[in-house]
Amino acid sequence: MGAGHVHKLYRHGHSPVHALPPHTKLTAVFAFVVVVVSTPRTAIWAFALYAALLGTVAYAARVPASFLLKRLLIEIPFVAFAVLMPFVAQGERVDVLGMSLSVNGLWGAWNVLAKGTLGVAASVLLAATTELRELLLGLQRLRLPPLLVQIASFMIRYGDVITDEMRRMRIARESRGFEARGVRHWGVLAKSAGALFIRSYERGERVHLAMISRGYAGSMPVIDEVTASRAQWSYALALPCAALVVCLLGWFL
């Protein structure tokens, strides 16, 4: 179950967070996100504490703030959606800088931005401290359905292959003077997409036959058996446990 390359989200290091078994980090991040989502949106101070907890993890993992902030740009579409909510939501309205905004929309935008940003930040920290191959081993250790793990493994392994195939096809079109400038060129792009699908399908058939010839019977062999000690579980679960305390305070205060 090798990945064959290091993803650009991963940041090589030797911190205590890097050293944790992957399934403990997956469990911790999932539990942290569940706690964050369960927090009432009116407990603004709680989200500040969640951000501080993630900052502590980033410091322990030696992940620079610049590295983290650049990869948070992936949530821009969600930010755009949140910005529109105060304008389109119904209910009581309030004037802000001369604009009539919905109170429910403002709270909804805050809810999406706060919880979405914290969830993405936790995921980025997980990817920055865990190699893709280790993530797959962690999913396997957590008893995720083997078929899903295999699909994810092949997606990671051959994603760059398909991307490189697309690049070569684009270069071939441009070398023949093609340049997509409008709707009338969509037909050529559609044919290219069809050709790429056929090539990918044929490659998948060849890979499947090669695997069967080597004894594949529906499941991949487990090369590395990852385990975690009680101390490692305690270290990993410190983040969601601290977040749970904050969440409970947010509900009862």
Side-chain angles (χ1 to χ4, degrees), residues 21-136:
H23 55 292
T24 63
K25 288 186 279 187
L26 283 166
T27 304
V29 169
F30 178 77
F32 175 80
V33 172
V34 170
V35 171
V36 170
V37 172
S38 302
T39 304
R41 63 186 184 182
T42 54
I44 298 178
W45 58 271
F47 296 102
L49 290 179
Y50 292 149
L53 288 174
L54 288 181
T56 303
V57 174
Y59 178 80
R62 302 185 184 95
V63 176
S66 57
F67 182 92
L68 183 62
L69 292 176
K70 286 180 181 178
R71 281 141 186 86
L72 284 178
L73 295 177
I74 194 174
E75 69 165 342
I76 287 180
F78 299 97
V79 173
F81 171 75
V83 169
L84 292 176
M85 291 181 67
F87 296 95
V88 300
Q90 301 297 321
E92 180 184 355
R93 307 192 73 83
V94 63
D95 290 331
V96 178
L97 300 178
M99 297 180 292
S100 178
L101 303 179
S102 168
V103 175
N104 290 332
L106 288 171
W107 278 115
W110 159 253
N111 195 48
V112 171
L113 285 176
K115 296 180 179 180
T117 300
L118 290 170
V120 172
S123 301
V124 170
L125 283 175
L126 173 64
T129 57
T130 315
E131 294 185 15
L132 287 175
R133 177 177 176 276
E134 293 181 347
L135 284 175
L136 294 175

Side-chain angles (χ1 to χ4, degrees), residues 222-238:
V222 179
I223 300 176
D224 297 323
E225 184 69 23
V226 291
T227 59
S229 64
R230 183 175 299 179
Q232 289 174 320
W233 272 111
S234 301
Y235 188 78
L237 295 179

Side-chain angles (χ1 to χ4, degrees), residues 126-202:
L126 173 64
T129 57
T130 315
E131 294 185 15
L132 287 175
R133 177 177 176 276
E134 293 181 347
L135 284 175
L136 294 175
L137 291 172
L139 293 173
Q140 190 176 56
R141 180 69 178 177
L142 292 173
R143 299 296 186 268
L144 196 75
L147 182 59
L148 294 181
V149 178
Q150 291 180 50
I151 291 174
S153 176
F154 286 119
M155 180 185 69
I156 293 170
R157 184 185 298 274
Y158 291 102
D160 289 342
V161 175
I162 303 302
T163 302
D164 191 58
E165 188 75 24
M166 291 176 58
R167 182 185 61 82
R168 290 197 298 270
M169 294 175 67
R170 177 180 58 80
I171 294 174
R173 291 195 304 267
E174 293 177 351
S175 67
R176 291 165 174 79
F178 174 79
E179 184 178 353
R181 295 180 177 177
V183 178
R184 60 192 180 92
H185 293 125
W186 285 7
V188 177
L189 297 177
K191 291 178 182 178
S192 298
L196 179 64
F197 173 79
I198 293 174
R199 292 183 184 182
S200 302
Y201 184 83
E202 291 176 344

